[in-house]
Amino acid sequence: MSAMNSLRGDAQDGFGAARPKILIVDDRWENLLATEALLKPLGAAIATVDSGEKALDLVLKEDFAIVLLDVQMPVMDGFETARLMKTRPSMQNVPIIFVTAISKEDHFATEAAEIGAVDYIFKPINSDILKSKVKVYLDLYTQRQQILQLNANLRQSNEELERFAYVCSHDMQEPVRMMNAYAGLLAEGVAGQLDDTALGYAEYIRDNAVRVQTMIRDILGFSRVGREEVKLEPVDCQKVFDGIMPDFADVIAEKQAQVTGVDLPVIKTSPTLMRVLLQNLIGNALKFQDGARPPEITVSARREGKVWRFDVADNGIGIDPVFYERIFQVFQRLHSFDDYIGTGIGLSTCRKFVRLCGGDISVSSKPGEGSVFSFTLPEKAA
């Protein structure tokens, strides 16, 4: 019988990457035909060769999901063939199943294992067992290829995101800055020549330019999360809290708010993460108030098993439970921009960042009474 040096059953479609391929190596043509007929229903492309030399030649040209290799062959036996196959980079992770009629002595199976074979089957072959084992490795191969494809898609998406971030940080910011600047010059330079309606238009342009600038900044912040390595170090959370409080001094004074955070721990985490979380959660707690009472906001922390749990509690407008998940989705807002300014990105950034560090964030709330935003971070030795 002439050895087959190409794959059977798939010559017309060029063997799409999704279709796994099996290589059968045996010096007896009747064994090749029988094994091929047995495995054909599995839907894989099948190549058959009658010598180790031809098998080595074929693995240089094709990628295989699994190899079935006879041990007893002239010139080059199965063990030598397998050793040489494993020197090929493309064959390093390809499973090899030895099929043999030689003695069942343990040292043969040991030798096969040392070479890197995944199984050692004796003739006469139990067809059901062989078919089931080959199917398992075909399925694993298909899953691995799908993961590789997903990783490739993810890399492409990340590259596109980086390009988008570059456009945001350069090409988009400049025209928005100019809109803001010229609208201000118009309002201030010719104020006496414009009526109230025209001045209102100029102010409207300025407000929206600032809004777009804020959105661009938030999009950039969201896109950077996960693209840069998260460096963990001992972080004094009390110092982080105290350090960001001056950022809220004006709004605290305006609303006569009370913001407290006492005895916050030192934990091993990302200082950037802690600032992002506290800035966003305290900022939201101050923002989402109806003015009926002075804001009261408390930041606390406690250890729960292997994690630290932080709570940011407020007495604000609260959130309907139906919206608990929606508020953590990017660009999702529950209120109009005129009622409460913002881009709907802050909480999305918080969740993305905290999950990247092995924690999570959630909310509990009563409409009209207030909310408690809780986030957890793994306990690590500081």
Side-chain angles (χ1 to χ4, degrees):
M1 173 186 175
S2 175
M4 300 297 297
N5 288 321
S6 60
L7 300 175
R8 296 176 185 262
D10 208 18
Q12 294 182 346
D13 64 18
F15 311 107
R19 190 178 187 198
K21 308 166 190 175
I22 302 172
L23 174 59
I24 305 172
V25 187
D26 198 305
D27 64 316
R28 298 175 64 89
W29 65 269
E30 61 269 26
N31 291 339
L32 290 174
L33 288 178
T35 307
E36 181 181 10
L38 174 66
L39 301 180
K40 190 174 181 179
L42 297 179
I46 298 176
T48 59
V49 293
D50 60 4
S51 71
E53 296 92 333
K54 292 173 182 176
L56 292 174
D57 181 64
L58 194 54
V59 298
L60 290 175
K61 304 172 183 176
E62 301 285 352
D63 293 327
F64 292 95
I66 185 171
V67 176
L68 275 67
L69 186 56
D70 184 31
V71 173
Q72 289 180 298
M73 294 186 294
V75 183
M76 183 184 296
D77 67 18
F79 291 145
E80 185 179 359
T81 301
R83 288 191 185 93
L84 292 173
M85 280 185 176
K86 288 298 184 180
T87 65
R88 308 283 198 267
S90 62
M91 291 294 296
Q92 289 293 319
N93 298 314
V94 177
I96 295 177
I97 295 179
F98 281 116
V99 181
T100 182
I102 64 175
S103 171
K104 297 184 180 181
E105 294 179 20
D106 290 341
H107 70 88
F108 288 112
T110 301
E111 185 175 0
E114 290 174 350
I115 294 171
V118 297
D119 215 330
Y120 194 78
I121 297 177
F122 295 98
K123 299 175 182 178
I125 297 173
N126 183 310
S127 59
D128 291 335
I129 291 177
L130 179 61
K131 187 188 267 187
S132 63
K133 289 184 176 182
V134 171
K135 185 178 186 305
V136 167
Y137 289 112
L138 291 177
D139 290 344
L140 290 173
Y141 175 85
T142 299
Q143 293 170 11
R144 184 168 63 249
Q145 294 303 112
Q146 291 172 346
I147 292 172
L148 291 174
Q149 183 60 52
L150 288 173
N151 287 339
N153 292 341
L154 181 59
R155 284 193 297 271
Q156 181 179 354
S157 296
N158 286 339
E159 290 171 0
E160 292 172 352
L161 182 60
E162 289 178 3
R163 288 194 292 271
F164 174 71
Y166 179 86
V167 170
C168 283
S169 61
H170 295 82
D171 300 348
M172 290 176 62
Q173 293 219 52
E174 183 59 20
V176 173
R177 187 187 69 81
M178 296 302 294
M179 286 169 54
N180 188 15
Y182 278 101
L185 290 173
L186 179 64
E188 296 168 6
V190 293
Q193 305 174 38
L194 300 177
D195 58 21
D196 290 342
T197 300
L199 288 173
Y201 290 157
E203 189 63 28
Y204 181 78
I205 294 173
R206 292 185 66 182
D207 289 345
N208 279 273
V210 171
R211 180 179 175 183
V212 173
Q213 285 180 314
T214 301
M215 182 173 292
I216 290 172
R217 185 188 65 244
D218 289 349
I219 291 173
L220 285 171
F222 183 78
S223 70
R224 289 191 185 106
V225 174
R227 288 166 43 211
E228 301 173 355
E229 181 183 359
V230 178
K231 296 182 180 180
L232 304 182
E233 59 185 79
V235 176
D236 188 331
C237 299
Q238 186 65 50
K239 287 186 177 179
V240 174
F241 172 85
D242 295 338
I244 66 173
M245 290 312 297
D247 296 343
F248 301 112
D250 291 343
V251 68
I252 288 174
E254 177 187 345
K255 295 187 175 184
Q256 298 182 331
Q258 181 178 354
V259 183
T260 58
V262 181
D263 297 329
L264 300 180
V266 176
I267 64 174
K268 192 170 184 179
T269 186
S270 162
T272 303
L273 165 67
M274 190 56 61
R275 284 194 296 271
V276 167
L277 289 170
L278 294 182
Q279 283 175 336
N280 274 280
L281 297 179
I282 293 173
N284 284 348
L286 288 167
K287 180 196 305 183
F288 293 103
Q289 300 279 338
D290 59 10
R293 54 191 179 274
E296 295 181 2
I297 300 158
T298 302
V299 181
S300 60
R302 64 183 183 275
R303 184 181 292 142
E304 293 184 347
K306 295 183 179 181
V307 302
W308 276 95
R309 176 190 177 97
F310 290 76
D311 292 330
V312 180
D314 66 60
N315 63 341
I317 61 176
I319 303 167
D320 191 311
V322 73
F323 298 122
Y324 281 0
E325 185 62 27
R326 178 179 169 183
I327 60 173
F328 292 105
Q329 297 174 8
V330 68
F331 296 125
Q332 293 296 313
R333 295 172 48 87
L334 304 185
H335 311 279
S336 71
F337 188 86
D338 292 334
D339 292 333
Y340 299 98
I341 63 172
T343 58
I345 299 178
L347 288 177
S348 302
T349 302
C350 288
R351 170 172 279 189
K352 186 178 180 182
F353 208 158
V354 77
R355 285 183 172 178
L356 189 66
C357 292
D360 209 345
I361 186 169
S362 60
V363 62
S364 61
S365 181
K366 290 184 178 180
E369 297 184 20
S371 304
V372 179
F373 281 84
S374 303
F375 62 89
T376 58
L377 292 172
E379 166 73 7
K380 297 181 184 293

